[in-house]
Amino acid sequence: MHLFPLFTDLKGRTVLVVGAGLVADRKIGLLLSAGARVIVGAHAAHPQVQARATAGDIELRLAPFDPAWLDEAWLVFAATNDRDLNQRVADAAIARRLFCNVVDDAELSSAQVPAIVDRSPITIAISSGGSAPVIARRLRERIESLFDPVLGALAALAQRKRLAIRQARPQLRARRDFYDWLLDGPIPGALRSNRPDDAETLLDQALSQGARPPSGKVLLVGAGPGDPGLLTLKGLRALNEADVILADRLVSPDVLALARRDAQVIDVGKAPGGPHESTQARIHALMVSHARQGRCVVRLKGGDPMVFGRGGEELQHLKGHGIAYEVVPGITAALACGAYAGIPLTHRDHAQTLTLATAHRQSSVGADPVHPQAEGRTLVYYMGVERLPELCGRLLADGHAPGTPCAIVENGSRPEQRTLHATLETVVAQAAHHSIRSPALAIVGGAAALGMELGWFGKTLGAIRPEPATLPAMAASA
Ligand code: SAH
């Protein structure tokens, strides 16, 4: 082992920092957060360090370095940009057998500060032994994203209840089971939902009654539109925690690849035109039965689970059956397609209102609140491509100008993305010509045309020609 990792309790202990620039200031902040009493010695101080002294957070000694400063210290930091001075501080520390960290100088340091993931009281420290700090930083980022911020609150709760747990579960085996339940059961969810009182009540009940509320739960997670980079950190954590994943057809395989390896993945996709109601009933039944067996069920839906995804119905079903749930939003197709096609969905000059609609509505002909005028607004339609002729027909019948820009984004955010630019009048023929397939959505309104100029991802097809508005008249006279 190149370096021995050690966690030190600095509360109330004096730490000397030599140097008072911005680099020193970062270390000072870290030391203060650990409760250290910080003495800063330097010939001059950055205003930020000065402000800490004025606030009484640190003791600032503006003077040339004096080895006697080390007399009170448990630990020393040298953070000046003068290597000779850093060397003298390091030597003074050696003479007193004090550990010394010289910032960014592994050679002079007898102690190094690791990259830190702070979920106090849980702390994760990573060191590359000074060989490649960038690797340690990268690792830290990865670990940051993996561990729920709630881990700290959970550990703090366990710490507070430690005695009570020991008394209620004197046997080691039972106690371990209890701690497992603490991690896997409903308590982390209650903490994540910002309901710490519920978490405490659940814990107390479980301790006193002996009966523990089942640990099963359902996480309704939005997988985003396809690009796995668009999954949220919470979504990723849910996939790492899942025992069972009920995945929709629209969920991209790249997102599923991020899931815990031993999670059971069940495809509950509704084939277009398939028996939707029976698949929905199956989804409801699967969620409830797996959760009742104590499993962590991730119900993974394309885009956002609460946008055109029957997320509401699924939650109602869970609520009705007393199953605990959480919802993790995802990036809905409209937002992803707008972004990845370079189409601003709102724009000061073109669209002040944004409507998300589905063309899948059964009834409704004629004047329809789902088809408001596109003037000054952007209309986004989630739909199967086969609905396009009907949609455009309705919009035209409702009085939209034939030349209204209409963009179709197919496979938004996926490597195979294609964006077709056309107008309400030309889009049906163009979509057929380019064999546009689902999943795709239509963006209608003045802002849609901006994508021709601003598009940056995937293929761009078609163009808006200025003459379409006159075409019907010509056709009539021909
Ligand atoms: N809950 C999902 C929508 C489900 S409805 C969400 O929030 O995005 C399914 C419709 O969404 C598809 O018919 C299509 O119109 C649209 N859609 C989903 N993913 C898409 C993608 N990657 N590109 C274009 N449209 C998409």
Side-chain angles (χ1 to χ4, degrees), residues 10-16 31-32 35-39 57-59 61 72:
L10 293 181
K11 262 182 281 341
R13 302 214 156 97
T14 300
V15 177
L16 172 68
L31 290 165
L32 288 175
R37 183 182 159 248
V38 182
I39 297 178
D57 294 337
I58 60 170
E59 182 189 328
R61 297 180 182 168
E72 301 161 59

Side-chain angles (χ1 to χ4, degrees), residues 242-461:
D243 298 310
V244 181
I245 298 173
L246 305 179
D248 265 1
R249 191 176 49 89
L250 273 180
V251 171
S252 117
D254 294 343
V255 172
L256 274 176
L258 298 173
R260 197 162 75 96
R261 279 193 204 292
D262 38 6
Q264 179 191 359
V265 179
I266 304 176
D267 180 359
V268 294
K270 299 177 200 113
H276 279 207
E277 289 318 314
S278 61
T279 1
Q280 194 61 43
R282 176 168 167 250
I283 292 168
H284 286 175
L286 281 170
M287 288 194 302
V288 170
S289 73
H290 283 291
R292 287 224 167 116
Q293 289 167 61
R295 306 208 169 103
C296 171
V297 181
V298 168
R299 169 73 180 107
L300 191 61
K301 288 164 155 307
D304 180 89
M306 308 297 246
V307 176
F308 302 129
R310 302 187 112 176
E313 290 162 52
E314 292 178 12
L315 291 189
Q316 283 166 331
H317 189 79
L318 293 171
K319 183 101 198 168
H321 286 75
I323 308 272
Y325 59 79
E326 290 173 56
V327 185
V328 181
I331 294 191
T332 188
L335 302 188
C337 290
Y340 277 59
I343 297 174
L345 299 178
T346 68
H347 188 288
R348 281 203 301 173
D349 301 332
H350 302 280
Q352 292 74 44
T353 307
L354 171 63
T355 303
L356 305 188
T358 173
H360 277 300
R361 284 227 342 222
Q362 310 296 352
S363 56
S364 73
V365 210
D368 185 337
V370 185
H371 300 130
Q373 287 298 316
E375 194 64 36
R377 50 166 99 214
T378 304
L379 309 171
V380 182
Y381 289 96
Y382 291 64
M383 50 160 204
V385 170
E386 71 285 355
R387 298 270 175 159
L388 190 60
E390 182 193 338
L391 171 71
C392 292
R394 272 201 230 161
L395 287 170
L396 290 170
D398 286 353
H400 287 86
T404 307
C406 174
I408 308 286
V409 186
E410 176 195 59
N411 280 312
S413 87
R414 299 173 186 219
E416 31 326 351
Q417 175 179 315
R418 297 193 296 168
T419 307
L420 170 66
H421 284 284
T423 63
L424 279 183
E425 188 170 47
T426 60
V427 71
V428 173
Q430 289 279 314
H433 175 68
H434 292 288
S435 310
I436 298 289
R437 302 261 174 278
S438 296
L441 52 68
I443 305 179
V444 180
L450 292 171
M452 285 191 293
E453 178 193 331
L454 303 177
W456 58 276
F457 185 88
K459 275 212 181 69
T460 305
L461 310 168

Side-chain angles (χ1 to χ4, degrees), residues 5-26:
L6 185 70
F7 288 87
T8 52
D9 182 359
L10 293 181
K11 262 182 281 341
R13 302 214 156 97
T14 300
V15 177
L16 172 68
V17 178
V18 180
L22 277 178
V23 175
D25 191 60
R26 278 199 289 279

Side-chain angles (χ1 to χ4, degrees), residues 22-248:
L22 277 178
V23 175
D25 191 60
R26 278 199 289 279
K27 289 285 178 271
I28 295 167
L30 209 56
L31 290 165
L32 288 175
S33 69
R37 183 182 159 248
V38 182
I39 297 178
V40 179
H43 58 85
H46 187 278
Q48 240 162 273
V49 178
Q50 190 71 57
R52 290 190 193 273
T54 312
D57 294 337
I58 60 170
E59 182 189 328
L60 181 60
R61 297 180 182 168
L62 289 176
F65 172 60
D66 179 354
W69 290 347
L70 277 77
D71 291 346
E72 301 161 59
W74 288 71
L75 187 63
V76 183
F77 285 82
T80 78
N81 47 17
D82 172 349
R83 191 161 201 272
D84 284 345
L85 177 52
N86 285 346
Q87 174 90 60
R88 280 195 288 139
V89 177
D91 290 345
I94 289 169
R96 286 167 176 75
R97 301 188 181 188
L98 282 175
F99 280 109
C100 175
N101 174 255
V102 179
V103 177
D104 284 336
D105 194 331
E107 213 178 299
L108 286 185
S109 297
S110 55
Q112 290 178 13
V113 182
I116 298 166
V117 179
D118 184 7
R119 300 283 189 274
S120 286
I122 306 278
T123 314
I124 302 168
I126 307 145
S127 165
S128 68
S131 60
V134 66
I135 296 181
R137 277 202 295 274
R138 284 283 170 88
L139 265 175
R140 190 194 74 93
E141 283 166 19
R142 289 290 299 276
I143 295 173
E144 275 289 357
S145 67
L146 279 178
F147 288 105
D148 204 309
V150 97
L151 196 64
L154 193 63
L157 181 65
Q159 195 172 36
R160 257 203 334 276
K161 297 286 179 178
R162 210 174 132 192
L163 255 179
I165 296 172
R166 181 174 278 274
Q167 276 162 8
R169 300 284 187 282
Q171 305 232 307
L172 184 64
R173 183 66 204 277
R175 199 153 64 237
R176 276 211 193 125
D177 278 355
F178 189 82
Y179 277 108
D180 276 335
W181 172 81
L182 197 63
L183 283 171
D184 301 329
I187 290 189
L191 291 171
R192 269 196 299 266
S193 313
N194 211 8
R195 295 184 172 171
D197 295 346
D198 288 5
E200 186 137 359
T201 311
L202 281 167
L203 189 146
D204 291 341
Q205 279 171 355
L207 272 186
S208 64
Q209 298 165 358
R212 302 176 309 196
S215 53
K217 66 191 162 198
V218 175
L219 307 175
L220 188 58
V221 177
D227 178 349
L230 296 180
L231 186 71
T232 63
L233 287 179
K234 261 194 145 173
L236 179 63
R237 287 186 201 119
L239 288 178
N240 273 310
E241 202 191 329
D243 298 310
V244 181
I245 298 173
L246 305 179
D248 265 1

